[in-house]
Amino acid sequence: MEEFLRTELLLGKDKMSKLQNARVAVIGLGAVGSFALEALARSGIGSFLLADSDKIQITNINRQLFTLHSTLGRLKTDVAKERILDINPKCRVETMPVFVNSDNLSEVFAAKPDMVIDAIDSFSPKVRLLEYCVKNNIPVISSMGAALKTDPSAIKTSDLFETHHCRLAERLRGELRKCGINNGIMCVFSEQSAQGKPVYPENLPEGTEQFEKNSVKILGSLNTITGIFGLTLANLAIIKLTAE
């Protein structure tokens, strides 16, 4: 396909074919997931499963790729599908506008994907997602916390059980070890300590939309950092999917 000529020139026809035949599940289409999905779509991935229950809100504009004033109020999965098909009309895109958790994981992965991109930020569902993938031999690449970070040079990749200076990864390790899991989850994380503190709903500015005020706490973030997290997830996926 001419759209992906530059990718094929770099990777070769065999690896390009692997990408075009791959099915990738992207779980979470927010700040990190949207950039991961965009990069994978532009790399020629032939089939996607997209899962996210949220609708697009105006406070997403600072960091989420699919958020425009023209898309406010729409399901992220619908907007993401339209964008992918505009990039690659031959792509096959399945959407599930659901909150992925332990109750529906078997339904979400009824058709086993070749790769899962974990870009969700709710702790317990993240644990269950990672546990399910490992125990069902589904390759998964996971994003740790990108909020409250400002230094691109501190963004690293490693096995989840070899990370450092990441509180989320530390908590995940503790829960996953209880499930008998001690390695095998590649992730993107930051070595940088948190910059700033969470903001609680009662301290939000006047006029902030109810969506944010219903949150337990709100974390500041830069699209430069969340974007790098997402692009790095996509790069890891491409390398793994095209491995000999």
Side-chain angles (χ1 to χ4, degrees):
M1 295 173 67
E2 191 174 4
E3 299 97 315
F4 309 114
L5 175 62
R6 298 296 184 97
T7 306
E8 184 178 311
L9 288 174
L10 177 63
L11 299 181
K13 289 187 177 181
D14 289 345
K15 290 185 177 182
M16 190 71 239
S17 178
K18 288 182 178 181
L19 294 178
Q20 291 173 332
N21 290 318
R23 184 171 188 269
V24 177
V26 181
I27 312 300
L29 299 175
V32 173
S34 62
F35 276 86
L37 176 59
E38 176 90 0
L40 290 169
R42 291 184 183 276
S43 299
I45 295 296
S47 176
F48 286 103
L49 166 64
L50 311 180
D52 194 308
S53 63
D54 287 345
K55 293 183 178 181
I56 293 172
Q57 307 290 331
I58 196 166
T59 51
N60 301 152
I61 280 181
N62 86 305
R63 67 199 184 282
Q64 298 186 16
L65 194 60
F66 308 133
T67 304
L68 305 167
H69 282 273
S70 61
T71 62
L72 293 178
R74 298 185 59 197
L75 282 167
K76 291 180 181 178
T77 48
D78 288 347
V79 176
K81 180 177 181 177
E82 289 176 6
R83 187 175 178 97
I84 291 172
L85 293 177
D86 209 5
I87 293 168
N88 179 8
K90 295 182 179 179
C91 191
R92 299 176 300 281
V93 186
E94 177 187 359
T95 61
M96 297 188 73
V98 299
F99 181 75
V100 176
N101 56 38
S102 57
D103 295 330
N104 57 18
L105 278 167
S106 59
E107 179 185 355
V108 170
F109 294 127
K112 187 175 179 180
D114 298 298
M115 175 69 64
V116 172
I117 300 295
D118 161 36
I120 59 178
D121 52 15
S122 297
F123 182 74
S124 293
K126 196 176 192 76
V127 173
R128 300 283 79 85
L129 171 64
L130 295 174
E131 178 191 10
Y132 185 93
C133 288
V134 172
K135 291 187 175 180
N136 287 277
N137 297 311
I138 303 173
V140 59
I141 304 172
S142 182
S143 174
M144 298 299 102
L148 300 180
K149 310 294 184 181
T150 59
D151 183 3
S153 68
I155 299 171
K156 308 294 180 183
T157 65
S158 79
D159 190 288
L160 174 63
F161 290 85
E162 297 175 0
T163 61
H164 48 88
H165 296 89
C166 179
R167 174 59 179 156
L168 175 57
E170 181 182 352
R171 292 178 62 206
L172 286 170
R173 285 196 296 271
E175 291 301 312
L176 290 168
R177 285 187 176 117
K178 295 176 185 177
C179 308
I181 298 170
N182 297 290
N183 58 52
I185 301 171
M186 182 59 68
C187 75
V188 181
F189 72 103
S190 174
E191 297 176 323
Q192 186 183 25
S193 59
Q195 306 295 297
K197 297 179 180 180
V199 174
Y200 294 89
E202 60 269 21
N203 297 323
L204 287 172
E206 184 75 22
T208 300
E209 63 179 279
Q210 197 61 41
F211 172 80
E212 293 287 12
K213 290 193 172 182
N214 289 337
S215 303
V216 176
K217 60 183 178 180
I218 300 94
L219 305 178
S221 61
L222 290 175
N223 65 71
T224 48
I225 301 300
T226 56
I228 293 170
F229 265 67
L231 294 173
T232 305
L233 286 172
N235 196 70
L236 288 171
I238 290 166
I239 292 171
K240 192 169 183 68
L241 288 168
T242 58
E244 298 298 336

